[in-house]
Amino acid sequence: MNILLTGGLGFIGSHTAVVLSQQGHQVTILDNLCNSQIGVLANLEKITNQKLPFYEADVRDTQMLCKVLSENQIEVVIHFAGLKSVSESAQDPLKYYDNNVGGTIGLIEAMQVQKINKLIFSSSATVYGIPHYLPCDEDHPLAPINTYGKTKLQAEEIMRDLVVSDPAWSIVALRYFNPIGAHESGLLGEVPNGVPNNLMPYVCQVAIGKLPHLNVFGDDYETKDGTGERDYIHVMDLAEGHLAALNYVNHCPGFEVINLGTGIPCSVYEVIAAFEKSARRTIAKKVQPRRSGDLPIYFAKADKAKQLLGWSAKRDLQTMCDSSWKFQENLSK
Ligand code: NAD
Ligand code: UD1
């Protein structure tokens, strides 16, 4: 099929581009490079051994989108393009509503003009907010506690209304848990801007000596070892989840929300231990007070993805750490 990936040079989009291309799909990428590098395209082409059409453009540019959709005879769009920093979304909420909600509206308008009605959307487990129960299923109440999460929820709601207004649409919103890891080649991975906020990129930078130690945000939670527990999912499993969702949107009209997680929580100390094994070195760490806005533990109920998409995550924490380390080592060469 002809598939447009908005934000396709980013962390998750680039890994999905590999999986889709290797399955024989024709992938077109649109990205404004606000959080990615053009060099990712060359690495993508190296891995897939294919030339991928690329447009440096913004999803809010509806005219440009119409051109890209028609020029490449796009049949399905996967909408990764978005801003994802929780802290930045608190400082600059308008930027987040404009990009994440405005960008989604612009994209849908262009799709309507071009009569394309199949869409897969990058949502986030952050739409659930503070867990009322665990594991978190898709019926869990929706109460995001940060602006970033609210933009994701609003985008989902727009899609839900759209499908009611026109049942020919087929939309799947995938709620990702904590994606980490990298492509096995070591050529693609996550490249954070500035000092990382998230655990895995921070650990990677401590391992190569760019940062002196990891700050462990709290070791007094009521969790297995006192540190926060999360549902880390390998980015290649996530990418394969998009392939499964592609098959689904092709056959099933309507709107569905589906968790993509492993269903297995891992603690900060477990991640450090696995990473130390991968990198064969010790990660210096200092226990700090809890980070404001952090949850002690959350993880997915991953049954719906299995039932509807026939997909489940296969790769374990060690594989996630091995691939993250390989990518980090390559980056620092
Ligand atoms: P990323 O920042 O690596 O990739 C997003 C890409 O979109 C970047 O290449 C960026 O340049 C591009 N982009 C942003 N705004 C754009 C715009 N207006 N027009 C065109 N391109 C634009 O992020 P990622 O980790 O790959 O995440 C992809 C999607 O998944 C995002 O929507 C994010 O909110 C969502 N998500 C990510 C996580 C995570 O932990 N990584 C978790 C849940 C959901
Ligand atoms: C964060 C975002 C969430 C987003 C997710 C993407 C916040 C409040 N939440 O979630 O919206 O969807 O990233 O993956 O920012 N930790 C440390 N030291 C660090 C970094 C993290 O101890 O330097 C701990 C955290 O306290 C947490 C765990 O590691 O227990 C994971 O943190 P992180 O990778 O930031 O992910 P989330 O907190 O789940």
Side-chain angles (χ1 to χ4, degrees), residues 21-75:
S21 301
Q22 289 178 339
Q23 287 295 312
H25 295 290
Q26 178 59 54
V27 170
T28 298
I29 293 177
L30 178 143
D31 200 303
N32 68 359
L33 302 179
C34 72
N35 198 35
S36 52
Q37 306 292 326
I38 189 63
V40 172
L41 186 62
N43 284 338
L44 268 180
E45 294 182 340
K46 200 166 166 185
I47 294 169
T48 60
N49 207 15
Q50 284 175 46
K51 198 115 194 86
L52 304 180
F54 171 69
Y55 297 82
E56 183 176 343
D58 195 295
V59 274
R60 289 162 294 184
D61 182 348
T62 304
Q63 262 193 336
M64 180 62 179
L65 265 175
C66 285
K67 179 173 133 60
V68 174
L69 292 172
S70 82
E71 242 171 44
N72 298 281
Q73 296 166 339
I74 297 298
E75 300 163 273

Side-chain angles (χ1 to χ4, degrees), residues 179-299:
I180 59 170
H183 188 259
E184 60 186 10
S185 63
L187 291 174
L188 297 176
E190 185 173 14
V191 189
N193 246 341
V195 179
N197 285 314
N198 297 117
L199 179 64
M200 182 53 82
Y202 205 106
V203 168
C204 283
Q205 294 198 7
V206 174
I208 52 153
K210 197 166 167 189
L211 292 167
H213 62 265
L214 173 73
N215 296 305
V216 175
F217 296 136
D219 68 349
D220 55 355
Y221 285 112
E222 277 186 28
T223 54
K224 59 181 113 176
D225 58 22
T227 64
E229 289 183 47
R230 296 290 183 271
D231 187 337
Y232 297 100
I233 174 167
H234 197 300
V235 67
M236 287 304 289
D237 274 325
L238 206 62
E240 289 164 6
H242 290 75
L243 177 66
L246 178 70
N247 296 333
Y248 186 84
V249 291
N250 273 323
H251 298 108
C252 306
F255 177 72
E256 282 293 348
V257 292
I258 303 176
N259 286 342
L260 292 187
T262 62
I264 304 165
C266 294
S267 73
V268 173
Y269 284 156
E270 284 174 331
V271 171
I272 296 172
F275 195 92
E276 285 179 333
K277 216 168 141 192
S278 303
R280 297 201 187 108
R281 61 190 69 186
T282 304
I283 302 297
K285 54 184 184 290
K286 283 189 185 164
V287 176
Q288 306 285 1
R290 296 175 180 192
R291 181 171 67 175
S292 136
D294 260 0
L295 302 166
I297 174 167
Y298 71 88
F299 59 101

Side-chain angles (χ1 to χ4, degrees), residues 100-177:
N100 293 3
V101 182
T104 300
I105 294 173
L107 169 66
I108 291 172
E109 280 171 352
M111 290 176 72
Q112 279 184 321
V113 171
Q114 297 302 319
K115 302 196 174 10
I116 300 161
N117 54 18
K118 294 184 173 73
L119 175 63
I120 297 168
F121 174 60
S122 294
S123 190
S124 168
T126 199
V127 297
Y128 296 120
I130 296 164
H132 294 207
Y133 56 84
L134 287 168
C136 210
D137 61 24
E138 291 82 353
D139 296 325
H140 187 284
L142 301 172
I145 55 170
N146 54 60
T147 301
Y148 163 65
K150 289 178 193 167
T151 67
K152 288 290 172 189
L153 183 53
Q154 286 195 2
E156 280 192 12
E157 283 171 349
I158 289 166
M159 291 169 192
R160 197 182 292 277
D161 289 348
L162 183 72
V163 171
V164 172
S165 77
D166 178 0
W169 275 89
S170 179
I171 306 183
V172 172
L174 298 173
R175 293 177 177 159
Y176 313 149
F177 278 69

